[in-house]
């Protein structure tokens, strides 16, 4: 059983709001037979002329072998029209550790988005432990949608 509360719901009028560049959401999934909580996700998106991003809390019991309990956040900070700094992080609340962190710079225009990012992933013992890397990411406007919707009025 999945309960989703749309932003302009009259059923749950205070559950989501969309105000001038900010929105929040929540999703709840209950077990079909016991109505026990299987998954809860609560988040907020924000957008200013120079900053856009999101924050999300997740508690997921749907896979008993891999219970997730974390906070995730990401942001793009524009320092010029097409240039900016990108941040991303996931904090595992169960293990009290950073599961993933990214920080980098990006260039974006109407055709492409190019990112150079330092990436850290906590990893697991069977995978050899933590991973550190520098990544070059390329997103083409014709192949992907991320960053190419005119949400921010740029």
């Amino acid at each position: 059983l999945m309960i989703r509360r749309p932003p302009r719901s009259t059923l749950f009028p205070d559950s989501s709001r969309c105000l001038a560049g900010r929105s929040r959401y929540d999703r709840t999934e209950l077990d079909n037979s016991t109505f026990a909580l299987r998954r809860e996700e609560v988040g907020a998106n924000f957008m200013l002329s120079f900053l856009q991003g999101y924050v999300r809390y997740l508690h997921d019991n749907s896979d008993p072998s891999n219970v997730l309990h974390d906070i995730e956040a990401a942001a793009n900070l524009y320092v010029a029209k097409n240039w900016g700094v990108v941040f991303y992080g996931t904090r595992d609340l169960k293990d009290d550790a950073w599961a993933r962190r990214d920080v980098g710079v990006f260039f974006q225009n109407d055709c492409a988005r190019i990112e150079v990012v330092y990436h850290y992933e906590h990893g697991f013992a069977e995978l050899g432990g933590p991973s550190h890397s520098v990544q070059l990411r390329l997103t083409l406007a014709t192949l992907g949608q991320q960053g190419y919707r005119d949400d921010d009025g740029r």
Side-chain angles (χ1 to χ4, degrees), residues 33-108:
S33 57
T34 65
F35 295 106
L37 182 66
R38 290 183 50 145
R39 187 173 199 274
E40 176 69 23
E41 181 178 3
V42 178
N45 303 304
F46 57 90
M47 186 175 1
L48 303 170
S49 62
F50 63 95
L51 181 68
Q52 63 187 33
Y54 69 91
V55 177
R56 175 186 69 98
Y57 167 80
L58 174 67
H59 192 120
D60 188 349
N61 295 321
S62 60
D63 180 2
S65 67
N66 186 26
V67 175
L68 299 174
H69 190 203
D70 61 34
I71 293 177
E72 178 181 322
N76 290 325
L77 172 65
Y78 289 88
V79 295
K81 181 180 179 186
N82 298 94
W83 293 89
V85 181
V86 61
F87 302 97
Y88 174 84
T90 302
R91 180 79 178 172
D92 186 334
L93 299 175
K94 185 175 61 173
D95 294 335
D96 195 26
W98 286 101
R100 180 177 168 186
R101 292 181 293 208
D102 291 358
V103 62
V105 295
F106 69 86
F107 171 82
Q108 177 177 323

Side-chain angles (χ1 to χ4, degrees), residues 1 7-8 15 17 32 36 51 55 76 115 150:
L1 176 64
R8 297 172 192 239
S15 68
R17 300 181 192 274
N32 287 334
L51 181 68
V55 177
N76 290 325
E115 299 178 16
D150 193 17

Side-chain angles (χ1 to χ4, degrees), residues 100-127:
R100 180 177 168 186
R101 292 181 293 208
D102 291 358
V103 62
V105 295
F106 69 86
F107 171 82
Q108 177 177 323
N109 62 19
D110 293 337
C111 298
R113 178 179 169 112
I114 301 168
E115 299 178 16
V116 178
V117 177
Y118 165 75
H119 174 81
Y120 167 82
E121 190 133 6
H122 181 69
F124 302 96
E126 63 270 9
L127 298 176

